[in-house]
């Protein structure tokens, strides 16, 4: 009986020590999960070209390359909740772990931007999805909508400039 009560008390103490909210320490507390990295390729015009890395703790690194308001590396803390929203939004499109896949087209429109979305595990293994915005299908239209919302989700609008 004493042993059981001791184990229950120890479990309660440890649980209290490891619980942390998204806002704790400004969202900088380490979270478990994969790093999510995506890059946006050029189009035939003035489309913004940039790359974004989002760590599980919500730290965002933006690297503006062409046709963006902020060129070069920029950093901000979007928070663990933003990371979780991004991970959840991209989850339906994530290939199996360790696989590199490409979205499938029913119709193709030329001159569109492309995305390379990578989920990087703690062991460095990448899971990659490449997607051409002009690759049309119901699933790809939904992915385009998700990707259109990512800059606002992460607070990148001022750096992209659109």
């Amino acid at each position: 009986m004493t042993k059981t009560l001791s184990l229950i008390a120890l479990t309660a103490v440890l649980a209290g020590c490891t619980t942390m909210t998204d806002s704790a320490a400004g969202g900088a507390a380490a979270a478990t999960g994969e790093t999510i990295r995506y890059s946006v390729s050029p189009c035939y015009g003035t489309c913004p070209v940039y790359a974004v890395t989002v760590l599980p703790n919500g730290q965002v690194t933006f690297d503006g390359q062409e046709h963006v308001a902020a060129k070069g590396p920029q950093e901000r803390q979007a928070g663990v909740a933003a990371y979780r929203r991004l991970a959840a939004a991209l989850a339906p499109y994530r290939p199996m772990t360790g696989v590199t896949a490409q979205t499938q087209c029913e119709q193709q429109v030329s001159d569109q931007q492309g995305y390379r979305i990578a989920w990087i595990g703690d062991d460095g293994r990448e899971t990659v999805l490449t997607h051409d915005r002009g690759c049309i299908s119901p699933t790809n239209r939904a992915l385009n909508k998700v990707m259109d919302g990512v800059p606002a989700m992460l607070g990148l609008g001022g750096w992209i400039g659109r």
Side-chain angles (χ1 to χ4, degrees):
M1 176 79 166
T2 304
K3 191 182 236 182
T4 302
L5 288 175
S6 295
L7 286 173
I8 292 171
L10 178 62
T11 302
V13 168
L14 291 176
C17 292
T18 59
T19 302
M20 189 170 252
T21 64
D22 289 346
S23 61
T32 59
E34 300 169 308
T35 295
I36 300 172
R37 182 175 298 146
Y38 76 94
S39 57
V40 184
S41 68
C43 66
Y44 292 106
T46 59
C47 299
V49 179
Y50 59 93
V52 176
T53 301
V54 186
L55 300 179
N57 68 3
Q59 183 67 31
V60 176
T61 302
F62 171 89
D63 183 15
Q65 297 163 10
E66 295 178 31
H67 310 293
V68 292
K71 286 200 174 192
Q74 313 291 323
E75 290 190 2
R76 73 178 305 272
Q77 180 55 250
V80 173
Y83 169 84
R84 289 180 181 155
R85 283 191 302 276
L86 175 64
L90 292 174
Y93 311 99
R94 186 187 183 282
M96 291 179 54
T97 300
V99 170
T100 296
Q102 184 171 355
T103 55
Q104 300 301 304
C105 300
E106 290 178 9
Q107 297 176 6
Q108 182 71 40
V109 177
S110 63
D111 304 341
Q112 299 293 306
Q113 288 183 289
Y115 296 104
R116 181 184 189 277
I117 306 165
W119 295 261
I120 301 121
D122 290 337
D123 60 358
R125 187 162 64 161
E126 284 193 346
T127 301
V128 178
L129 177 67
T130 59
H131 172 61
D132 182 327
R133 284 190 67 92
C135 184
I136 306 299
S137 74
T139 300
N140 293 340
R141 281 189 191 103
L143 176 55
N144 287 344
K145 195 173 209 178
V146 167
M147 295 309 293
D148 288 344
V150 170
M153 185 185 302
L154 299 177
L156 306 177
W159 293 337
I160 295 170
R162 296 186 179 217

